[in-house]
Amino acid sequence: MCGIVAYVGGRRAFPILIKGLQRLEYRGYDSAGVGLINDKKIITYKQAGKVSDLLEFIGDSDTSGSIGIGHTRWATHGPPSQINSHPHSSSNSQFSLIHNGIIENYSSLKKVLEEKGHVFKSDTDSEVLMHLIEDVYNNGNDLVDDPKWDDDDDNTLFKAIRVALNEVVGAYAIVVLEEGNPNEFYAARKGSPLVIGIGNSEYFVASDASPIIEYTDKVIYLEDGEVAKLNKNQDVVIKTILNEDKSPYIQKLEQSLESIEKGGFDHFMLKEIFEQPKSITDTMRGRINPKTNDIILGGIKEFESQIVAAERIIIIACGTSWHAGLIGEYIIEDLARINVEVEYASEFRYKNPILTNKDIVIAISQSGETADTLSALEIAQEKGALTLGICNVVGSSITRVTSGGVYTHAGPEIGVASTKAFTAQVTVLSLIALRFCQLKKTVPRGNYNFLIKELIEIPKKIEKLLSLNKDIMKIAMVFKDASNFLYLGRGFNFPVALEGALKLKEISYIHAEGYPAAEMKHGPIALIDEEMPIVVIATRKENYEKIISNIQEVKARGGKLIAIVTEGDIEVKSIADYCIEIPKCFRELTPLINIIPLQLLSYHIALMRNCDVDQPRNLAKSVTVE
Ligand code: M6R
């Protein structure tokens, strides 16, 4: 989704903005732009395409100035084009705005503004917001009824932004520049993330911490409905859009610069796949008592008795996080014997769900900013359910609106295709299942201890599996030109088949379907011919004999079989065309290792097809619109 970066201070703004936009590229975008105050005038450069296209377009033009705003746009209202790119100017070019989010009532606002004489150049909702702010600035509250408008004596643009935002329905993170005012700008948010970095007589603003991290570790996460005035010679001033004063809460950023760089790998995705032994260890760190094997999940401790007594857990999530949720369903039901339902957040929010205060709703999200998941949580809260989160990004919106939760601690995930965040989510869900089976005594202590031991061993097993990278590359070479793929799995590994298929389609643009293996004969079997590669997860203990029958059905129709098998397997090996051997593992924890070769297979196929692995077309890392 759109990325925002802004700077005011003593340095040249342009290089900071460009570097910041490059750091935000992973979010997904299709045009870019910057606005600078140079000799008191606002200069704007924008272009469809990548940041590199913007740089080429700017060439040797003047980029001086120590205040500026930068934006990467992920098209929603209107196609990717120069005119629709941000920043957007007011009618007289006095103001310039960048925006992330969606103004849902933009067309009614646009109509009112057009009647008042405003002329719009772009198709965007963002330009409407710019004109709305301008209109309020010029005409006071004739458009907006704000009783506080007249007796408030703070800066007029600050006021105009606050008043205008009261009229907006939807989500926004914005930064607004004012011509002739090279010392300050304004930032506001509701529903879309925004972080303020505090330097030495300088401020940074960005959609996430990645553009800020190398300059300062002092940050403020702006809350919904807050507007900040950032003047390089003054302390931060924050007010709500209802004109209440807020005290800025300055936090220390815990990320490191290395964590958002490629560290010798060709792509972030590959780095993140290889990081999984470490990220899973980090997810478990401090959560398993080495002496007693007891699990400690501090963020949900106070709700344990409520969870034990719960009639059901409802997991809401999207995409890869939804797949992790499905694995959670299998493992929590199997071990802790709690009824679990897994819902697409986007469907849940519109289906008038039946919920009571006995239900526990767990939102799973890497970014913690996914709009559908946030809205689904709102509904769950309205209906009285206890809401918890499993998130990767510290301080993200979901972590702030839920009553408690568990961080995945996978570190920043930059590749759009989620890999290490997925295994970290599954690790957290395994810890939750184990904690509640311990509390509910649904698994004998001896078995519990074996499971804990196995969980601790997982990073080592993944390490071993990663050494098969070259073999997987060879398999990728054979199938790189396929047009379709089928992924089959059963039980705990059915969601792994779904996730393997999603990884492939996201980054290689090959059509891929995941299916529970036994369902194949109810339809998808019609697709199988000599051209069709089928990836089967056939590790031991997970309905092994049944899977072998499914494999035979595929072979009988000429399909090409790539099987994920347990090391030492003979039976499947004798039937399949290609096999990838997985270290032995308990059934409940196999998803954590079975997904690794599927991630690598997708990566290599995408690379061989010359696809942009880290920034696949049309995709955004964090989907902050509906
Ligand atoms: O940040 P979230 O986990 O809430 O994101 C959910 C999905 O948008 C995300 O998992 C998406 O499917 C990824 N591109 C998967 O690789």
Side-chain angles (χ1 to χ4, degrees), residues 317-323 364-371 373 390 393 398 413 415-419 421 425 499 502-503 506-507 616 619-623:
C318 303
T320 288
S321 300
W322 184 77
H323 296 154
I364 307 181
S365 174
Q366 187 286 129
S367 61
E369 301 293 348
T370 300
T373 313
I390 297 178
V393 177
I398 290 178
E413 189 179 66
V416 165
S418 188
T419 53
Q425 289 165 344
E499 175 59 9
L502 179 66
K503 284 291 83 79
E506 277 188 302
I507 60 168
L619 289 182
K621 182 67 186 161
S622 119
V623 184

Side-chain angles (χ1 to χ4, degrees), residues 415-458:
V416 165
S418 188
T419 53
K420 64 174 181 171
F422 171 75
T423 46
Q425 289 165 344
V426 176
T427 306
V428 166
L429 289 159
S430 308
L431 289 169
I432 290 176
L434 285 160
R435 176 65 186 151
F436 287 95
C437 84
Q438 192 187 17
L439 289 176
K440 293 184 73 188
K441 300 194 174 23
T442 44
V443 169
R445 187 72 200 188
N447 295 10
Y448 171 85
N449 286 339
F450 278 130
L451 278 159
I452 294 282
K453 190 164 173 276
E454 184 79 358
L455 187 59
I456 293 169
E457 292 288 304
I458 292 286

Side-chain angles (χ1 to χ4, degrees), residues 234-452:
Q234 296 169 11
D235 289 340
V236 185
V237 181
I238 299 181
K239 289 186 175 227
T240 68
I241 59 171
L242 296 173
N243 201 18
E244 298 143 342
D245 295 321
K246 294 296 286 277
S247 311
Y249 172 49
I250 302 173
Q251 302 185 40
K252 189 168 184 309
L253 203 57
E254 299 294 349
Q255 277 176 28
S256 67
L257 192 54
E258 307 83 74
S259 68
I260 54 160
E261 292 184 331
K262 284 189 198 144
F265 287 88
D266 289 342
H267 298 94
F268 282 110
M269 184 181 176
L270 191 63
K271 176 187 174 226
E272 287 156 8
I273 292 174
F274 273 80
E275 268 173 1
Q276 288 174 106
K278 177 178 179 300
S279 54
I280 292 176
T281 306
D282 289 343
T283 306
M284 292 190 283
R285 194 181 306 285
R287 288 172 168 166
I288 303 174
N289 182 322
K291 289 197 184 115
T292 61
N293 278 347
D294 288 345
I295 288 170
I296 313 119
L297 296 169
I300 59 169
K301 191 149 186 45
E302 62 179 295
F303 308 107
E304 282 185 345
S305 51
Q306 209 173 329
I307 299 173
V308 167
E311 285 175 6
R312 59 181 180 159
I313 292 174
I314 296 153
I315 293 178
I316 49 173
C318 303
T320 288
S321 300
W322 184 77
H323 296 154
L326 287 180
I327 297 170
E329 176 184 1
Y330 277 89
I331 191 160
I332 294 170
E333 288 197 345
D334 188 65
L335 296 181
R337 307 308 293 157
I338 305 174
N339 178 15
V340 180
E341 289 169 24
V342 187
E343 300 264 8
Y344 281 118
S346 53
E347 286 299 313
F348 183 80
R349 61 186 286 195
Y350 290 115
K351 72 175 235 193
N352 191 14
I354 302 169
L355 279 173
T356 71
N357 57 6
K358 291 205 179 76
D359 290 319
I360 315 284
V361 173
I362 304 182
I364 307 181
S365 174
Q366 187 286 129
S367 61
E369 301 293 348
T370 300
D372 284 321
T373 313
L374 271 163
S375 302
L377 271 175
E378 232 171 79
I379 290 164
Q381 277 162 349
E382 274 164 25
K383 293 191 181 261
L386 169 69
T387 57
L388 304 172
I390 297 178
C391 291
N392 195 36
V393 177
V394 176
S396 56
S397 299
I398 290 178
T399 67
R400 285 183 288 165
V401 300
T402 41
S403 302
V406 186
Y407 276 117
T408 46
H409 293 315
E413 189 179 66
I414 310 287
V416 165
S418 188
T419 53
K420 64 174 181 171
F422 171 75
T423 46
Q425 289 165 344
V426 176
T427 306
V428 166
L429 289 159
S430 308
L431 289 169
I432 290 176
L434 285 160
R435 176 65 186 151
F436 287 95
C437 84
Q438 192 187 17
L439 289 176
K440 293 184 73 188
K441 300 194 174 23
T442 44
V443 169
R445 187 72 200 188
N447 295 10
Y448 171 85
N449 286 339
F450 278 130
L451 278 159
I452 294 282

